[in-house]
Amino acid sequence: MTMQPNFPGQDASESIVFDAPQNAEPASAATLGSPSFGALLCEAREARGLEIEACAHALRLPVRMLRRLERDDYQDIDSKVYLAGYIGKYGHYLEMDPALIQTELDRIKQTEPTLVATGGISHSRFLLDRYATAATYVVLTAVIVVPMVWMGVRGTLNRDLSHLAPLDATPVAQVDAPESAVNDAARLPSHVALPPPVQEQPLLASMAAFPNLDSSAASKKPSVLAPPAAVETGVGGHNLELSLTSASWVEVTDAAGVRLEYGLLPAGSHKIYQSDKPLDVRIGNVSGASATIDGQPVGLDDFRHANVAHFSVEIRDGKATPTAL
């Protein structure tokens, strides 16, 4: 600090002058009155006669963003990476000095905070979280759909449904008809013949310790069964005789459309149909059947289609003969 003499009329406070330190740093551009970077952007745009809207359209940036850059308003821009991109893009578009642009970028450069993981999750927990939702949907679908399908399938098993089967199908084992079927058969017309009921052998029990040798020997002797008696149906002078060694579906219809036979006959059936008019005959499972007309054998293979024989009994000049249909 230096002291200067006081002159007449001079205040004493004005006589003290402080010298600047020798090691003081040079003043910044703003202190020396140089324009800011935003002002340089505005001057460069006006020097080229460009409107700020035209610059925003060319750079594909909002107009408000360019106005904030020209006012050096960087407060609301969170990421410095975006801010540096805006400044560099606008400065290069206005063909400013790259050194000025780099100086401004170095001034606003800040170190972004490093992202640090604060927690972790195990691989098993990750798989559980990923597939738990899908597994829940699968389980719920199975719980709802499976019972519905089971009820739909099981609900139709106890229903008495009629099934259609071809005549040439192999006959299934016969089962005794229930009481309701017997009552229905009693109401059928008298000319419709039903197969004879199957008689079951009673069960026999013995208290003997050893089997009777005489009875066992007698059981080994072949028993000769008498052929079943023929069942006659219809009235007339001509006879159609049918013998079955296997169960077969038989349909016999006269000229008036009356069915003399219509149903599945068991193996061993022997039927005679009498009529003075033509007959329409259809025999299923023909390989186990034989027929005669007035004692003359009928070649069923001549009228066979697949395993069904279909022919007509025609009466000409008082003689009955089979004719193909």
Side-chain angles (χ1 to χ4, degrees):
M1 179 177 62
T2 58
M3 300 293 296
Q4 293 183 356
N6 295 334
F7 294 96
Q10 183 179 5
D11 192 1
S13 62
E14 298 177 359
S15 61
I16 300 175
V17 179
F18 295 92
D19 293 336
Q22 297 296 328
N23 57 350
E25 296 180 357
S28 61
T31 306
L32 298 177
S34 59
S36 64
F37 184 78
L40 294 178
L41 289 174
C42 184
E43 291 179 1
R45 177 177 59 78
E46 293 177 351
R48 287 167 176 75
L50 299 175
E51 297 292 336
I52 193 170
E53 290 79 6
C55 296
H57 180 72
L59 298 175
R60 297 182 179 179
L61 293 175
V63 178
R64 56 181 177 81
M65 180 60 65
L66 300 185
R67 294 187 188 277
R68 291 174 59 182
L69 294 179
E70 291 183 358
R71 294 195 304 265
D72 299 311
D73 183 9
Y74 305 153
Q75 298 299 325
D76 296 336
I77 302 178
D78 297 333
S79 177
K80 301 305 178 182
V81 176
Y82 294 128
L83 177 59
Y86 298 152
I87 292 175
K89 192 172 184 179
Y90 196 20
H92 290 300
Y93 177 75
L94 297 178
E95 299 180 357
M96 293 182 60
D97 187 3
L100 294 177
I101 299 175
Q102 188 61 40
T103 301
E104 182 67 12
L105 296 179
D106 294 340
R107 187 181 70 83
I108 65 173
K109 182 182 298 184
Q110 295 182 1
T111 304
E112 296 287 346
T114 304
L115 299 179
V116 179
T118 59
I121 184 172
S122 63
H123 183 66
S124 59
R125 180 60 183 275
F126 170 75
L127 295 178
L128 178 63
D129 294 342
R130 181 174 182 179
Y131 298 108
T133 303
T136 302
Y137 280 111
V138 172
V139 172
L140 291 178
T141 302
V143 170
I144 295 174
V145 173
V146 172
M148 294 181 63
V149 173
W150 182 84
M151 291 178 61
V153 174
R154 296 287 298 179
T156 59
L157 293 182
N158 296 328
R159 298 180 183 177
D160 187 11
L161 299 180
S162 59
H163 300 278
L164 299 179
L167 296 178
D168 56 348
T170 303
V172 298
Q174 298 296 316
V175 182
D176 290 343
E179 183 179 357
S180 60
V182 175
N183 296 334
D184 295 340
R187 294 193 293 267
L188 293 176
S190 59
H191 62 270
V192 178
L194 295 177
V198 179
Q199 297 181 356
E200 296 183 354
Q201 296 294 334
L203 297 178
L204 302 178
S206 176
M207 299 299 293
F210 300 96
N212 190 352
L213 297 179
D214 296 335
S215 61
S216 62
S219 62
K220 294 181 180 179
K221 296 180 180 179
S223 59
V224 179
L225 299 178
V231 180
E232 297 182 358
T233 303
V235 178
H238 299 280
N239 297 331
L240 169 64
E241 186 174 354
L242 181 63
S243 299
L244 301 178
T245 58
S246 301
S248 177
W249 180 275
V250 177
E251 180 181 0
V252 180
T253 308
D254 62 8
V258 178
R259 288 174 174 172
L260 303 181
E261 188 68 63
Y262 183 76
L264 181 62
L265 300 183
S269 299
H270 189 195
K271 303 294 291 287
I272 298 177
Y273 307 96
Q274 299 176 351
S275 177
D276 289 332
K277 298 179 181 180
L279 298 177
D280 185 5
V281 182
R282 192 186 304 268
I283 304 174
N285 193 19
V286 69
S287 58
S290 61
T292 61
I293 299 177
D294 291 342
Q296 299 297 325
V298 179
L300 297 179
D301 291 338
D302 299 336
F303 312 104
R304 181 173 179 173
H305 300 279
N307 199 21
V308 178
H310 188 196
F311 62 93
S312 175
V313 179
E314 298 291 341
I315 300 175
R316 298 177 182 175
D317 299 332
K319 184 179 181 180
T321 57
T323 305
L325 295 177

